[in-house]
Amino acid sequence: MAIYNYVEDLVYSKILDLLSKKPEVCRCDKCIDDMAALALAGLPVIPYVTPDGGVFRQVQNMTNDKLKIEVATRCIRALETVKNNSKHKKQSDFSRFVPGAGIK
């Protein structure tokens, strides 16, 4: 079994949601990971280990609105930071997250 961080799951989910509304932002793996790293800095770790999702559902139910708002705020800031400071010159043609990624 693997150890997961529920907050990391929240961050990636929020970033993908934000990217779906911002077609001008790069969707390559590097930029998405940079956004996640920036957003995760300073957020709590909520670990879970589960083969069937049972504990995961309990963790989801315990997550409060304050944390979700903090995640959203940090993701928005991270998206803007990476958008304005991309570490590459051209678009990548791959992504593990978004179909059609790499298209600006």
Side-chain angles (χ1 to χ4, degrees), residues 35 74 97:
M35 290 174 211
R74 286 175 182 261
F97 295 111

Side-chain angles (χ1 to χ4, degrees), residues 7-8 11 15-16 21 24-26 35-37 42 53 56 58 65-66 80 82 85 87-89 92 94-95 97:
V7 176
E8 185 176 338
V11 164
I15 287 170
L16 295 177
K21 299 169 185 156
E24 72 280 8
V25 179
C26 180
M35 290 174 211
F56 176 71
Q58 290 173 7
D65 290 336
K66 182 178 177 184
E80 289 300 318
V82 171
N85 300 286
K87 291 185 178 179
H88 57 75
K89 296 204 187 278
S92 292
F94 59 91
S95 178
F97 295 111

Side-chain angles (χ1 to χ4, degrees), residues 14 16 18 21 32-33 43 59-60 66 78 90-91:
K14 179 50 78 175
L16 295 177
L18 292 168
K21 299 169 185 156
I32 289 173
D33 287 344
L43 287 173
V59 170
Q60 275 184 308
K66 182 178 177 184
K90 67 178 190 170
Q91 195 69 31

Side-chain angles (χ1 to χ4, degrees), residues 16-87:
L16 295 177
D17 178 55
L18 292 168
L19 286 173
S20 73
K21 299 169 185 156
K22 299 233 178 217
E24 72 280 8
V25 179
C26 180
R27 289 162 170 72
C28 78
D29 291 348
K30 175 68 176 143
C31 287
I32 289 173
D33 287 344
D34 283 348
M35 290 174 211
L38 286 170
L40 283 164
L43 287 173
V45 174
I46 302 177
Y48 66 95
V49 179
T50 177
D52 66 356
V55 174
F56 176 71
R57 283 187 292 279
Q58 290 173 7
V59 170
Q60 275 184 308
N61 293 337
M62 292 181 343
T63 306
N64 62 36
D65 290 336
K66 182 178 177 184
L67 176 60
K68 290 178 183 177
I69 291 168
E70 184 66 20
V71 165
T73 301
R74 286 175 182 261
C75 287
I76 291 166
R77 287 183 191 147
L79 186 140
E80 289 300 318
T81 298
V82 171
K83 175 183 158 188
N84 295 326
N85 300 286
S86 178
K87 291 185 178 179

